[in-house]
Amino acid sequence: MKNLMETLRQHGIQPTPQRLEVARYILECDRHFSAEQALSIVLERCPTISRATVYNTLNILVEKGLVAARVLTEGAVVFDSRVARHHHLIDTETGEIHDVDWGALKVSGTRSLADFEVQEYHVVLKGRKKQ
Amino acid sequence: MKNLMETLRQHGIQPTPQRLEVARYILECDRHFSAEQALSIVLERCPTISRATVYNTLNILVEKGLVAARVLTEGAVVFDSRVARHHHLIDTETGEIHDVDWGALKVSGTRSLADFEVQEYHVVLKGRKKQ
DNA sequence: GATCATCTTTAGACTTAGTCTAAGTCCATG
DNA sequence: CATGGACTTAGACTAAGTCTAAAGATGATC
């Protein structure tokens, strides 16, 4: 908890009790989560926290680079506490999102796109468990 | 219009006037569109069409493989009348979605993902126009 | 051509994710 | 103690999308 506060401070985020609870949730949860999932779990420990505070906190964390926001599935933004780049595999049967290490795939050709400067990219795969 | 009806029939879709209007919109519009965009344009020609019909029609077209539904941006599913596989580049300044031909990028490694059978994949790039 | 089951459309209620707002709380500082 | 800034809160609001129940259109069959 001490280091959580430190981490927030180091990134210029005032560590309030509410923000700490959100941060704690992020560390303890399954790495991919939606804002509504975060809200419902944080509410158990901090019953008066408001939806706006959770959304604000998540947005601040994304802005500061501590968490990534990804558009992978319909309906809700997926937050991801792993900010290092990697690819994603979506299980078409369960909807689960799995990581694919950056090194597992190689993409070539991104340098040669006419007129565009590519800032980032990743591969989105869809598939299902074998058997 | 004759061939529109034919196309729908060939895919087992009963060609109603409402469905034809939606199909016509898809052919005439900019290839990437949201359901709400489709609704608002189709309403101009067919003022009594309901939101549910537009959504139902789009979902049927996706089911039958005539249109693709993609999760690329926050907030709304992007429909795409180009169903052949290709990659996408999202302009980080304008939010516009550009196509990247399948052959322009090469992805290797998708065969060797432990335990998973990859059904499809594509690369999502983010970038901005040079200069 | 009349009947009936089936398919389709409609308006509007509903749900869910997410943002906005206005008022209140909590400090720190002069 | 007054002021102001940063933060939180409840709840209103918005936008995308689904659902429902009733009405309307269609097609097959006799």
Side-chain angles (χ1 to χ4, degrees):
Chain A
M1 215 61 174
K2 250 296 163 14
N3 35 9
L4 251 185
M5 286 190 50
E6 252 332 289
T7 308
L8 294 188
R9 274 213 194 83
Q10 278 164 14
H11 287 82
I13 305 171
Q14 183 79 354
T16 66
Q18 291 87 343
R19 288 173 178 173
L20 285 168
E21 281 303 340
V22 173
R24 191 176 144 203
Y25 165 78
I26 295 171
L27 288 186
E28 290 173 2
C29 80
D30 197 25
R31 274 216 359 266
H32 300 108
F33 61 93
S34 70
E36 294 292 323
Q37 279 164 6
L39 172 62
S40 78
I41 301 298
V42 172
L43 268 177
E44 291 171 10
R45 289 184 191 143
C46 186
T48 68
I49 200 171
S50 76
R51 182 196 281 341
T53 297
V54 171
Y55 275 87
N56 283 343
T57 303
L58 290 172
N59 288 336
I60 291 170
L61 292 172
V62 168
E63 210 173 282
K64 302 294 186 183
L66 286 168
V67 167
R70 312 188 188 282
V71 177
L72 289 174
T73 56
E74 206 184 323
V77 168
V78 174
F79 292 92
D80 186 347
S81 54
R82 179 174 169 190
V83 292
R85 58 189 188 170
H86 57 279
H87 308 290
H88 292 93
L89 190 151
I90 302 169
D91 189 314
T92 50
E93 273 156 16
T94 66
E96 284 174 316
I97 297 169
H98 299 278
D99 284 351
V100 176
D101 287 338
W102 188 254
L105 302 177
K106 206 161 80 189
V107 180
S108 49
T110 61
R111 294 275 170 75
S112 54
L113 295 177
D115 292 337
F116 274 91
E117 181 195 332
V118 174
Q119 296 162 318
E120 55 169 304
Y121 65 89
H122 76 290
V123 182
V124 178
L125 304 109
K126 297 194 182 179
R128 59 174 169 225
K129 270 223 163 83
K130 278 177 189 160
Q131 268 80 313
Chain B
M1 212 64 173
K2 250 300 163 14
N3 35 10
L4 250 185
M5 286 189 51
E6 252 333 289
T7 308
L8 293 188
R9 276 214 193 82
Q10 278 163 14
H11 288 81
I13 304 172
Q14 183 79 354
T16 67
Q18 291 87 342
R19 288 172 180 175
L20 284 169
E21 280 303 341
V22 172
R24 191 174 144 206
Y25 166 77
I26 294 171
L27 288 187
E28 289 173 2
C29 79
D30 196 26
R31 274 215 0 267
H32 299 108
F33 61 94
S34 69
E36 294 292 323
Q37 280 164 5
L39 172 62
S40 78
I41 300 299
V42 171
L43 267 176
E44 290 171 9
R45 289 184 190 144
C46 186
T48 68
I49 200 171
S50 76
R51 183 197 268 8
T53 297
V54 171
Y55 277 85
N56 284 342
T57 302
L58 290 172
N59 288 337
I60 291 170
L61 292 172
V62 169
E63 212 174 282
K64 302 294 185 181
L66 285 169
V67 167
R70 314 188 186 283
V71 178
L72 289 174
T73 55
E74 206 183 323
V77 167
V78 174
F79 292 92
D80 186 346
S81 54
R82 180 175 171 191
V83 292
R85 57 190 189 170
H86 57 278
H87 308 290
H88 292 93
L89 190 151
I90 301 169
D91 190 313
T92 50
E93 272 155 16
T94 67
E96 284 173 316
I97 297 169
H98 299 279
D99 284 353
V100 176
D101 287 338
W102 188 254
L105 301 178
K106 207 162 81 189
V107 181
S108 48
T110 61
R111 294 276 170 75
S112 54
L113 295 177
D115 291 337
F116 274 91
E117 182 196 332
V118 173
Q119 297 162 317
E120 55 169 305
Y121 66 89
H122 76 290
V123 182
V124 178
L125 304 108
K126 298 195 180 179
R128 60 176 168 224
K129 268 223 164 83
K130 278 176 188 159
Q131 265 78 308

